[in-house]
Amino acid sequence: MTIETTINGVARRIESTPDTPLLWVLRDELGLSGTKFGCGRALCGACTVHVDDQPVRACAYPVRFAAGKRVRTSEAIEESTGGKAVVEAWVEEEVVQCGWCQPGQCMSAAALLSEIPAPTDDDIDAAMSGNLCRCGTYVRIRKAIHAAAKGLEGNEGGEGQ
C-alpha cells in the first residue's frame, strides 16, 4: 500500500503494509532513529511523535493512520517555538541521564506547552504520565518544562508551539 504523508515538513510516499507501526517506518525505512523503541505496547512513551500536532505512540500507531497527516519526530522538534524552548530547557536543567526516553519526553512536553503555555505541576504530571523514565529524572523533567514555559512567555501562539 502507498501512504502519502508529510514527515518533518517533507512530503513522503511510503510503501508499506497498512498495519506496520509508524515507529518501524520512521526508523527502518526512513532512517529517523530519534524515535525510540521502548515497550512496543504504547505504555512507556519512548516512541512519542506528533501527528497533526498531537502526541501519539508510534509503536502502536499503524502507518495507514498517518495518511494525509503531518508527522513530526524528535529530529524536527526544534522547528517549533515550543520544541526549541523544551530542548533548551532540557540542556539548561541537565535533565538527561541515560537519554533513552528523552526524545519521547521532549515530544510530550512540547505538545503540552502547545496546549497549556503555563502549565501547573498537575498539568505536567497529567501530560507526562504516559512517559516513563527508568533513571527517575521526573523532578528535572518538571523543572525543565516550567523553564521552557517561562522561556515562551511573551511569544505569541502558533502552530506547534
Side-chain angles (χ1 to χ4, degrees):
M1 172 179 191
T2 301
I3 296 145
E4 294 184 14
T5 187
T6 301
I7 300 176
N8 297 335
V10 177
R12 303 279 191 157
R13 291 177 55 99
I14 299 165
E15 296 291 331
S16 188
T17 57
D19 290 332
T20 301
L22 179 60
L23 172 68
W24 300 122
V25 171
L26 294 171
R27 289 183 62 82
D28 295 346
E29 295 179 32
L30 301 177
L32 298 170
S33 60
T35 305
K36 304 300 183 201
F37 174 79
C39 66
R41 299 179 60 209
L43 301 172
C44 74
C47 66
T48 303
V49 298
H50 295 172
V51 176
D52 286 345
D53 297 323
Q54 296 300 309
V56 300
R57 306 302 189 239
C59 72
Y61 191 86
V63 70
R64 73 176 181 273
F65 292 163
K69 298 188 176 174
R70 292 173 288 110
V71 177
R72 179 180 294 144
T73 69
S74 60
E75 285 87 354
I77 190 172
E78 291 187 83
E79 292 175 9
S80 72
T81 304
K84 185 171 176 43
V86 164
V87 170
E88 289 171 357
W90 245 245
V91 172
E92 179 72 24
E93 300 300 332
E94 299 179 351
V95 172
V96 178
Q97 194 161 319
C98 87
W100 191 259
C101 69
Q102 297 306 313
Q105 298 277 3
C106 288
M107 295 302 288
S108 290
L112 166 64
L113 293 175
S114 73
E115 295 291 319
I116 306 173
T120 64
D121 284 348
D122 288 341
D123 294 330
I124 292 169
D125 292 346
M128 302 302 290
S129 67
N131 290 83
L132 302 179
C133 175
R134 290 181 182 181
C135 301
T137 64
Y138 300 112
V139 172
R140 293 191 309 248
I141 289 169
R142 182 187 292 150
K143 188 175 179 185
I145 293 171
H146 282 301
K150 188 171 184 110
L152 290 173
E153 286 179 1
N155 285 335
E156 295 301 316
E159 184 268 322
Q161 186 181 46

